[in-house]
Amino acid sequence: MKILRNAAVVPVVASVVTTLAFSGIAMAGWEPKKPVDFVIMAGKGGGADKMARLMQSVIEKHKLASKPFIPINKPGGSGAEALVHLKQKAGDDHTIMVTLNSFYTTPLRQPGLGVDVMTFTPIGRMAEDTFLLWVHKDSGIKNVDEFVKSAKTAGNKWIMAGTGKGQEDQLLTNFLNKAYGLDMKYVPFKGGGRVAKELAGQHANSTVNNPSEQLGFYEAGNTVPLAAFTPDRLPLFKDAPTFRELGQDFVYFMQRSVVGAPGMSKEAEDYYRGVFTKVYESQEWQDYMKKKSLQGAFMTGDELKAYWKQEKEIHKKMLKDIGEI
Amino acid sequence: MEILDHLLQGFAIAFQPLNLGLVIFGCALGLFIGAMPGLGSVNGVAILLPMTFLVPPTGAIIFLAAIYYGAMYGGAISSIMLGIPGASTAVATTFDGRPMALQGQADQALITAATASFVGGTVSVVLFTLFAPPLAAVALAFGAAEEFALMMLAFATFVGLGGDDIPKTLFSIFIGLVLSAVGLDIISGQPRLIFGDITGFMHGINFLVLAIGIYGIGEMLWTIESSKGEVKISQATVTVGRVMDSLRKFKNYGKTTLMGSVLGYFVGILPAAGATPGSLMAYGVAKTISKHPESFGKGNPEGVAAPESANNAASTGSMLPMLTLGIPGSPTTAILLGGMVIWGLEPGPLLFVEHQEFVWGLIASLYAANVFSLLINVAFIPAFIWVLRLPFTILAPLIFVLCIVGGYAPTQDMHDVWLILIFGVAGYLLRKLDYPLAPAVLAIVLGPLAETSMRQALLQSNGEMMVFFQRPISGPIMITAVVLFLLPLFKLLKARWRASKAANPGA
C-alpha cells in the first residue's frame, strides 16, 4: 500500500502546512471554523480564476485568515451552476464567491434558476475591469473613424470575436453596431485569452478585450487599442480616446466582487469584509490593479448593493436590446 | 549558437541547489498526484500554487512544471495497475497497459510507460528549445477551421479502433457525442440536455467521470464476474534482470515512441487541444500504422508507448502557447498561467526577450525533470507491483473507493459520483454485449472541441463549408483525414476484389 499511503500524504501535508502557517493568529470576534469554500463562477485559467487565486495567495502570504480559502471552480452555464450553489448554501457562513458580470446577466437570462442576486451578502467590490476596442496592427486602422469605415465596407463579414453569448463582449459589440450603424458578426470563443489570440492570429477583425487579456500582444506591437469604454483615458493606453470623447456617452465595466451566501450571519459578513479590505489594500493587489489597468475603489455593504441594483437595471436594458430576454 | 548560450545559462539556473531540489521534490510529488485517480496534475498544481510565494518566480514555475511532468509519468501507474486512469491524459494507457498487467507483464508495461514518457518528454523539450518562437507563429495561425480539421484527423485515426463490428462502433461514438453535448452551449449560450434544471449537468459531463465509470467501476464488475470470486491476477515479479530485459525490448517500440513524441508535441502546441487528445490520437495512429493492429487492446506494449510518449510531449508543447501567447494549451497550463500573473510576469511574445532567465531556466529544468521522473518512477516499480499481490477482496473495495474519490474531487459534486456509478454499470453491460467503449471515450473528449470549432469556423465563413478545404493549413489536414476515413473502405474493396479474382481466375 505504499503508493496509496504516500499519495494520500500529499493533501494532508498541504493542509498541515497551511494550518501551521495560520495557527497563532488570534482575531477578535467571529472566525471561520473550517476551510472556506471560495467559489469561482468561471473556469480554471480565466480572468476571474486568476484573480481569485491571486486573492487566495495574498490571504495566505499575509496570513489574513485563520483557515484556508479553498478555490472551487463552478463554471457551468455561464455561472448558473455557481449561483445556484450559493443559493442552496443560504445561511452558510463558510461559502463565498468571486463574481463577474454574469452575476447580473445569467439570472436575467434564466429566470428559471430562481436566483435573486440582491439576496446575496455584499462583501466587497475588489475592482472594476475595463474594456477597450482592439484591432490588429496589420489592418492599418488607427482610430475609430477608420474602424467604422472598414467595418461598414465589410458588412457582416467583419468578425468580432468575444467570450460567450449574451455576455459582456456581445453587449459591447451590440452597442458598437447600434451606435455606428454596423453589422459586425459576433463569434463566441471560450475565454478572453482565446479571444485575444484570435485577433493576434487575424482570425477575427476586432475584439473588446480587457487590458489584461491583450497586454502581451499589445506590448509586442501586434494589436492596437482604438478606444476605451471608460469615463477617462486609461493610464496604460494614453493614446486611446474614450468613447465619451468621441461623442458616444457609453461607459461599461466588469465588476470583480466577492459575495457571500444569502443570509450569512452578520458576524461572518464583517469578518470577510475585514479580510478582503486588507486584500484590497495589500501591495500585491494594488500592483496588480495598476498593471492590468483595473479601476474602482473598494465598495461594500449597502453601497455595493446599490451598485448591484443599478448595474442589474443597465444589464436588463442591454439584454433586452439584443433580444436575449 | 545563441540558443545554446541561452540553454547553458538556463542549466546554470536549473542546477542551482534550490531549483534542483524543487525539481526532484516536484517530480516525486507529481508522480503520486498523477497516480491518484481524480488528483490529476490540474488539481495538484492548483492546490500547490499559493505555496510558491515562498520561492522566487523561476523556482516556482520550475516546481509546478516538475509536478505537471511527474503527474504525466504517474498517470500511467494506476492505469496499468488498477485499470483506473489516474488522470485524463492516461486513459489511452489503460487500453493496452491493463491487459499487460493482467497477463503478468505489469513490470514491462510500467517500464515501457516510463521510458516512453522519457523519450516523449526529451524529444519535445529539444523541439521546444530549437523552435519555440517559430512554432508560436504556427499556433497563432491555427484558427477554428484548422482546429476542426485536426479533430477530424483525430476521429479518422480511430476508425479502426472499435474492431470489426462497425454498427457497434458507431453506436459507441454517438453515445459519446450525445454525452459530450450536455451542458452549456457556448455558441448559443443555452444549456442543453440538463433534464429540467439539474444543476450538476450544467458543467457538462466531465470526461474523467465517464472514463472512471467505464474503466474503474466497469472493469471491477467485469473482473468479479469473469473470475466468479476467485480472482487470480497473474503476478509479476521484479528483478533487475527483468527490468534490463524490458529496457532492451523497448527499442522495438522506438518508431512508435518517436511518432507519439512528435505528434503529441504538435497537438500540445495548439490551444484548446492538450495532452488528452494528443495521447488518444497517438494511440490511434500507432494502431493504424502497426503491422499487427489486431493485437492492440490486448496487451501490445506499443499501445502503451504511443500514448505515454505523446502525453508527456504534449505537456511540454502546451507550455509554448502559454509562454508566448498567453493562452493555455491545457487545463494545467491555465493554472500555471494564473501563477505567472501572481508572480507578476506577463506572458506574451516579449516574455522570451524580457525574462530570459525565467524562460530558459524553465526549459532547462524540463530536461532535468525528465531524468528525475524516470529514475524515481523506475525505483518505485517494485512498490507498484506489490499492489497486484493484494488479494482481490482487498483490492476491489480499494479501487471502488478510489473511483468515488476520484470522481468527487475535481468538482466536489455528488452528482458526478452518481454518474460514475451509472456509467460503470452501463459500461459493464455494454461490454458484456461486446460494444467497444474506447470510441465513446474518444468522442466525449473530441466532440465538444470539434463541435465548437466547426460552428465558429462556419460563422466566420458565413456557412461556407469549403472553408475547411481552402485554407492553407486546414486543407491538407482535412484531406488527410478524409483519406484516412476512406482507407478501411478501400482496403475492404481491394480484399473483395482480390477474393473474387481468386475465385474466378479467368475473369
Side-chain angles (χ1 to χ4, degrees):
Chain A
M1 284 331 314
K2 197 156 194 167
I3 39 164
L4 299 173
R5 197 159 53 209
N6 280 334
V9 160
V10 176
V12 175
V13 167
S15 56
V16 166
V17 170
T18 35
T19 318
L20 284 179
F22 292 124
S23 58
I25 323 158
M27 263 192 255
W30 189 90
E31 280 193 39
K33 285 152 197 75
K34 56 177 188 181
V36 178
D37 280 358
F38 197 20
V39 179
I40 303 163
M41 60 186 300
K44 287 188 176 122
D49 183 61
K50 283 181 201 165
M51 256 180 232
R53 287 177 201 279
L54 176 59
M55 290 179 211
Q56 181 206 7
S57 303
V58 173
I59 292 171
E60 297 212 359
K61 189 179 179 189
H62 296 295
K63 304 183 176 29
L64 298 179
S66 55
K67 287 279 188 299
F69 285 45
I70 314 284
I72 303 169
N73 296 79
K74 293 203 181 278
S78 280
E81 188 195 358
L83 289 164
V84 170
H85 175 76
L86 223 68
K87 185 183 116 183
Q88 286 165 350
K89 287 275 177 180
D92 187 306
D93 283 349
H94 293 88
T95 306
I96 57 174
M97 178 168 81
V98 180
T99 63
L100 39 161
N101 282 5
S102 44
F103 181 70
Y104 315 116
T105 52
T106 299
L108 285 169
R109 294 173 68 223
Q110 288 173 259
L113 297 176
V115 170
D116 179 6
V117 294
M118 298 311 291
T119 60
F120 288 14
T121 307
I123 291 176
R125 188 189 74 182
M126 304 300 291
E128 283 188 312
D129 213 340
T130 55
F131 291 87
L132 292 107
L133 172 64
W134 300 84
V135 291
H136 196 278
K137 186 193 62 171
D138 292 353
S139 67
I141 296 171
K142 291 198 180 57
N143 54 48
V144 174
D145 284 343
E146 290 176 22
F147 163 79
V148 170
K149 215 165 102 196
S150 302
K152 225 172 215 158
T153 318
N156 77 346
K157 289 214 168 67
W158 188 274
I159 292 162
M160 175 74 97
T163 55
K165 179 100 172 167
Q167 293 187 29
E168 301 84 6
D169 292 9
Q170 199 186 8
L171 298 177
L172 292 175
T173 307
N174 179 58
F175 157 76
L176 290 170
N177 274 340
K178 241 168 96 175
Y180 293 106
L182 304 174
D183 189 21
M184 297 185 285
K185 184 182 299 176
Y186 182 75
V187 182
F189 288 87
K190 209 171 182 173
R194 179 65 204 273
V195 172
K197 182 228 139 196
E198 288 300 305
L199 182 63
Q202 303 202 54
H203 304 292
N205 301 101
S206 58
T207 66
V208 285
N209 279 113
N210 299 131
S212 63
E213 296 158 351
Q214 276 289 0
L215 213 52
F217 295 116
Y218 166 73
E219 285 174 352
N222 292 335
T223 55
V224 185
L226 296 182
F229 294 91
T230 46
D232 302 301
R233 290 196 184 200
L234 294 169
L236 269 183
F237 312 100
K238 281 207 176 65
D239 294 337
T242 65
F243 277 96
R244 215 172 243 181
E245 284 174 51
L246 300 171
Q248 301 285 349
D249 193 16
F250 187 80
V251 165
Y252 190 75
F253 286 109
M254 165 99 88
Q255 73 153 347
R256 305 286 188 187
S257 298
V258 178
V259 309
M264 179 179 265
S265 73
K266 186 82 189 90
E267 296 76 30
E269 187 183 334
D270 289 341
Y271 174 81
Y272 291 118
R273 186 166 293 142
V275 169
F276 283 96
T277 308
K278 285 193 195 110
V279 172
Y280 183 85
E281 287 162 357
S282 71
Q283 194 58 45
E284 287 84 2
W285 187 258
Q286 289 301 323
D287 286 349
Y288 183 79
M289 284 186 69
K290 203 160 165 195
K291 200 154 175 236
K292 304 290 172 174
S293 211
L294 295 174
Q295 306 207 323
F298 188 77
M299 198 185 255
T300 184
D302 290 339
E303 194 191 0
L304 182 55
K305 275 210 156 169
Y307 168 77
W308 285 349
K309 198 168 171 193
Q310 170 201 331
E311 288 288 307
K312 196 178 147 189
E313 286 311 312
I314 293 173
H315 281 90
K316 200 176 203 167
K317 187 175 168 301
M318 291 172 104
L319 285 171
K320 272 205 180 113
D321 282 351
I322 57 169
E324 282 286 326
I325 52 171
Chain B
M1 284 298 91
E2 199 190 345
I3 288 175
L4 209 63
D5 270 357
H6 287 318
L7 190 63
L8 285 176
Q9 275 171 24
F11 271 114
I13 296 162
F15 282 108
Q16 284 166 8
L18 172 70
N19 291 344
L20 195 64
L22 286 171
V23 168
I24 298 174
F25 181 52
C27 287
L29 204 58
L31 198 67
F32 292 116
I33 287 174
M36 275 296 277
L39 242 191
S41 58
V42 186
N43 307 74
V45 171
I47 291 169
L48 292 162
L49 184 59
M51 311 256 146
T52 58
F53 250 135
L54 303 171
V55 291
T58 310
I61 185 98
I62 286 177
F63 179 57
L64 294 181
I67 292 175
Y68 185 24
Y69 241 75
M72 287 291 157
Y73 279 79
I77 295 165
S78 50
S79 292
I80 293 169
M81 304 312 296
L82 305 174
I84 322 168
S88 60
T89 49
V91 171
T93 312
T94 53
F95 298 164
D96 278 280
R98 181 65 177 159
M100 281 181 81
L102 292 176
Q103 290 156 19
Q105 296 172 318
D107 56 338
Q108 205 203 331
L110 287 171
I111 286 173
T112 307
T115 321
S117 297
F118 176 73
V119 174
T122 307
V123 167
S124 61
V125 184
V126 171
L127 288 174
F128 194 115
T129 312
L130 296 176
F131 307 112
L135 282 174
V138 173
L140 211 50
F142 246 72
E146 285 75 18
E147 226 175 86
F148 178 70
L150 187 77
M151 291 305 131
M152 283 302 102
L153 190 63
F155 274 115
T157 60
F158 262 61
V159 167
L161 190 74
D164 301 329
D165 200 331
I166 291 172
K168 280 184 175 170
T169 306
L170 287 177
F171 174 82
S172 181
I173 288 184
F174 292 142
I175 287 279
L177 286 177
V178 169
L179 291 177
S180 79
V182 173
L184 184 86
D185 170 33
I186 172 181
I187 308 282
S188 72
Q190 294 301 319
R192 299 189 294 201
L193 299 176
I194 56 165
F195 298 95
D197 262 326
I198 302 180
T199 48
F201 280 124
M202 279 189 183
H203 58 67
I205 294 177
N206 187 333
F207 147 76
L208 207 56
V209 165
L210 180 73
I212 291 181
I214 290 179
Y215 291 102
I217 307 277
E219 172 81 29
M220 199 176 64
L221 294 174
W222 180 258
T223 315
I224 291 171
E225 191 209 293
S226 59
S227 64
K228 309 250 182 309
E230 290 171 40
V231 180
K232 195 73 197 146
I233 296 172
S234 43
Q235 290 167 0
T237 46
V238 214
T239 60
V240 176
R242 276 184 73 113
V243 171
M244 294 316 289
D245 194 40
S246 303
L247 281 176
R248 261 195 299 279
K249 272 192 204 153
F250 184 76
K251 66 173 184 290
N252 301 337
Y253 326 127
K255 212 175 72 184
T256 311
T257 309
L258 274 181
M259 178 279 297
S261 309
V262 176
L263 182 83
Y265 180 67
F266 281 98
V267 174
I269 286 178
L270 306 171
T276 306
S279 63
L280 285 163
M281 276 175 83
Y283 184 88
V285 173
K287 188 176 173 183
T288 313
I289 60 172
S290 166
K291 287 197 186 78
H292 310 285
E294 71 287 346
S295 64
F296 275 75
K298 298 184 185 112
N300 186 334
E302 287 186 60
V304 175
E308 277 305 307
S309 55
N311 67 23
N312 271 66
S315 61
T316 312
S318 60
M319 298 217 184
L320 188 97
M322 172 187 90
L323 294 172
T324 57
L325 306 177
I327 326 160
S330 70
T332 312
T333 46
I335 310 276
L336 291 179
L337 202 60
M340 290 174 65
V341 171
I342 295 175
W343 307 319
L345 290 163
E346 188 60 50
L350 291 186
L351 189 75
F352 274 71
V353 184
E354 287 173 358
H355 297 281
Q356 288 187 353
E357 184 183 317
F358 175 83
V359 173
W360 290 98
L362 170 65
I363 292 175
S365 81
L366 293 179
Y367 285 96
N370 266 306
V371 175
F372 288 112
S373 293
L374 179 70
L375 292 178
I376 296 169
N377 200 329
V378 171
F380 273 101
I381 283 178
F384 303 142
I385 298 284
W386 191 76
V387 173
L388 275 194
R389 303 225 183 106
L390 289 172
F392 191 70
T393 41
I394 293 179
L395 202 52
L398 216 68
I399 295 178
F400 188 75
V401 169
L402 283 177
C403 288
I404 302 296
V405 172
Y408 180 76
T411 50
Q412 311 201 0
D413 193 344
M414 272 310 282
H415 174 85
D416 285 343
V417 176
W418 302 128
L419 277 183
I420 283 184
L421 295 178
I422 293 168
F423 287 141
V425 174
Y428 160 73
L429 292 175
L430 285 175
R431 191 166 164 188
K432 256 183 104 69
L433 298 169
D434 215 15
Y435 281 88
L437 295 173
V441 171
L442 178 84
I444 202 170
V445 175
L446 301 182
L449 295 172
E451 189 209 333
T452 315
S453 57
M454 182 173 107
R455 291 169 66 189
Q456 283 162 344
L458 289 178
L459 268 174
Q460 286 171 337
S461 74
N462 285 316
E464 181 54 66
M465 275 292 195
M466 288 311 286
V467 66
F468 299 115
F469 293 94
Q470 283 163 345
R471 293 170 56 117
I473 301 179
S474 73
I477 302 178
M478 204 65 187
I479 289 166
T480 317
V482 171
V483 169
L484 276 179
F485 270 122
L486 297 178
L487 205 60
L489 201 68
F490 177 70
K491 273 188 185 158
L492 196 74
L493 286 176
K494 200 170 147 191
R496 287 236 174 114
W497 182 69
R498 279 222 181 117
S500 69
K501 210 175 164 190
N504 320 299

